[in-house]
């Protein structure tokens, strides 16, 4: 197992980027005029070589990470594929990923499953393809002291969530070091951007912890397993099918993680309880 | 404008339905064994006549409402279409909607937009089709006293959210009377079930208030406008594009509604501030 290069700069939200939010005027509960920040939501159409794949609604940062991560998580890009170029046209709202290998996903694009919390999509069927073959690192551990440190860092770091709400966040961490903290209006977009970041930066998954604000539904489990991350944490809850899939894959699943509380419904052998708990719960 | 029939029984969540949740064992933050309720998430494949349309991940209640509402919100079913049968096979996880009019949506199914908070789907393009022609009732009003009463009722009614979390809720109300309170793992599923309920029960939209736990993203605005409901409320926040679309359609948009606080970013003329506010905010 290789760790990520120590020189790699961490990625954090940029809530002051003027392209990501807009001030909108309205009225509050007293009828008084007020002004509030809201996040942008814009279309981004993804091409793989000459093939139009999908149009995504996104906040618009990191289109390269989103494009590559989406293609990886859909099994349209293989880990060993050589990416020859990623072209972004902000005016046309287009991103084109070019590969050395010729690709054609006409047939794949005909499948469609509407996933939880989502409009309908092709994601599910494609994600299941490699699920049975996936193997997660059995030696990975999460200390509760790391978990509490991570939750505190995520909750206090400047973010679009704190500035404008209506957004999901995903974090990739090694122990309690945040390597990438990425947000998007779509929770799956945020996951895909992390996958793209890992791939383009050459970061190994086996010793990492993945945190998401989103729910631990089946598709989230499938994506985490596809990425090879052995430990998945959420502030939200679980679905029964998500738990079943996590247990089948040997993924450690920690949900309802807020303050000092959490529940582990799969893979508790990776959790080391080293943090003292406050008396009152 | 016709109100809904006074004899129509309201629909509420059924958290004790054994098909909707399961007890799952795990460990808590102390390492002690614990048991918790989690919601089911299962596949449901929708056919319109002989055409397979989509497979949705859903908690599985009200498949008839989900099927009809989805087809309506996708413009695959017209308001004046005669539905001749809705066949449900729970073992096969299939629902078939049959219509008098012959339908064929091969071409429509080729379009795909991945919507916010979602995997990719065809929803967006189809929803935009009728948006410009939609007209919402200008005389509808929401009193803040109704709003506070509704929020209190939603937050205290027995629900899958209170029992198991990881679920979205949608409510259709007239004044502060809850007509339908429906939950699903997918926030769009919950909206579609409300649309199906309105259609199959013959309930008019013009004087109704729609509440959702989900965010006010573009697709949520488009669906609400397509359904003809003039007032949309959420406990969550907004996206800028969602606000733009709501203003264009004349939809009243109330977000971040918790306790006595809220923000109106579109259509404030429909809000009547009649509730006394507690001094401290």
């Amino acid at each position: 197992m290789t760790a990520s290069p120590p020189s790699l700069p961490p990625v954090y939200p940029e809530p002051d980027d003027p392209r990501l939010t807009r001030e909108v005027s309205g009225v509050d509960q007293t009828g008084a005029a007020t002004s509030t920040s809201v996040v942008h939501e814009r279309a981004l159409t993804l091409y793989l070589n000459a093939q139009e794949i999908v149009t995504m609604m996104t906040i618009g940062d990191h289109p390269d990470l989103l494009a590559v991560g989406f293609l990886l998580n859909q099994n349209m890009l293989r880990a060993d594929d050589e990416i020859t170029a990623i072209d972004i046209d902000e005016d046309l709202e287009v991103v084109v990923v070019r590969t050395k290998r010729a690709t054609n996903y006409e047939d794949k694009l005909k499948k469609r499953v509407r996933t939880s919390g989502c409009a309908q999509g092709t994601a599910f069927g494609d994600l299941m393809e490699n699920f049975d073959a996936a193997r997660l690192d059995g030696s990975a551990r999460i200390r509760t002291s790391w978990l509490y440190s991570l939750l505190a860092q995520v909750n206090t770091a400047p973010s679009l969530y704190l500035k404008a709400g209506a957004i999901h966040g995903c974090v990739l961490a090694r122990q309690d070091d945040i390597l990438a903290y990425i947000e998007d209006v779509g929770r799956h977009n945020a996951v895909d951007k992390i996958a793209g970041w890992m791939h383009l930066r050459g970061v190994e998954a086996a010793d990492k912890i993945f945190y998401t604000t989103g729910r631990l539904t089946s598709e989230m489990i499938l994506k985490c397993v596809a990425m090879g991350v052995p430990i998945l944490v959420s502030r939200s809850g679980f679905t029964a099918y998500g738990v079943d899939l996590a247990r089948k894959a040997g993924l450690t699943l920690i949900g309802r993680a807020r303050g000092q509380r959490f529940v582990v419904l799969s893979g508790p052998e990776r959790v080391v309880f080293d943090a003292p708990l406050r008396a009152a719960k």
Side-chain angles (χ1 to χ4, degrees), chain A:
Chain A
M1 175 194 334
T2 58
S4 44
S7 59
L8 211 60
V11 176
Y12 270 89
E14 297 183 36
D16 296 331
D17 183 335
R19 294 172 304 175
L20 302 185
T21 58
R22 198 176 79 198
E23 281 293 308
V24 177
S25 59
V27 299
D28 70 10
Q29 66 277 358
T30 69
T34 185
S35 177
T36 187
S37 287
V38 297
V39 291
H40 271 292
E41 175 194 14
R42 41 172 67 95
L44 178 69
T45 299
L46 166 63
Y47 287 77
L48 175 58
N49 298 311
Q51 172 87 50
E52 180 178 336
I53 302 293
V54 69
T55 297
M56 301 175 271
M57 299 303 293
T58 169
I59 60 172
D61 64 345
H62 306 303
D64 52 339
L65 304 184
L66 177 57
V68 170
F70 176 87
L71 293 171
L72 284 169
N73 280 339
Q74 297 294 312
N75 289 324
M76 293 183 178
L77 199 63
R78 300 189 303 230
D80 60 352
D81 268 330
E82 186 178 334
I83 296 173
T84 53
I86 303 174
D87 299 326
I88 296 160
D89 188 316
E90 287 198 11
D91 291 333
L92 296 181
E93 299 185 324
V94 162
V95 56
V96 185
V97 176
R98 301 184 199 282
T99 60
K100 199 167 178 181
R101 175 174 67 96
T103 53
N104 188 329
Y105 288 104
E106 285 283 349
D107 286 341
K108 191 180 276 275
L109 288 169
K110 285 186 187 147
K111 286 190 289 183
R112 55 192 65 247
V113 175
R114 186 193 207 197
T115 52
S116 297
C118 297
Q120 72 277 24
T122 66
F124 207 89
D126 298 335
L127 282 166
M128 286 299 273
E129 276 177 23
N130 295 346
F131 180 74
D132 290 333
R135 290 289 172 272
L136 297 171
D137 191 305
S139 69
R141 291 290 177 272
I142 178 168
R143 296 182 171 274
T144 54
S145 56
W146 301 342
L147 175 62
Y148 296 152
S149 166
L150 273 178
L151 294 177
Q153 291 177 65
V154 171
N155 289 337
T156 55
S159 67
L160 290 168
Y161 178 76
L162 289 180
K163 181 174 186 176
I167 202 155
H168 277 290
C170 282
V171 171
L172 189 76
R174 187 181 50 229
Q175 299 186 3
D176 60 347
D177 289 327
I178 291 178
L179 306 178
Y181 177 177
I182 283 181
E183 298 176 290
D184 205 300
V185 280
R187 66 195 176 108
H188 292 292
N189 287 353
V191 180
D192 289 346
K193 285 178 189 171
I194 298 268
W197 181 82
M198 289 173 65
H199 184 76
L200 291 174
R201 303 295 179 271
V203 174
E204 286 285 328
D207 62 339
K208 302 301 187 297
I209 297 165
F210 197 112
Y211 169 84
T212 171
T213 56
R215 295 167 292 152
L216 300 171
T217 55
S218 53
E219 199 187 13
M220 194 60 73
I221 309 307
L222 292 172
K223 285 198 177 186
C224 203
V225 170
M227 292 162 66
V229 179
I231 299 165
L232 176 58
V233 180
S234 174
R235 60 179 285 141
S236 300
F238 315 82
T239 67
Y241 189 34
V243 173
D244 290 343
L245 288 171
R247 289 178 173 177
K248 192 171 172 195
L251 174 71
T252 292
L253 210 59
I254 302 174
R256 301 180 192 160
R258 297 181 186 216
Q260 285 206 310
R261 305 194 69 154
F262 63 83
V263 180
V264 189
L265 293 189
S266 175
E269 66 280 0
R270 288 200 186 87
V271 182
V272 180
F273 297 85
D274 71 332
L277 292 172
R278 291 185 298 270
K281 285 196 298 286

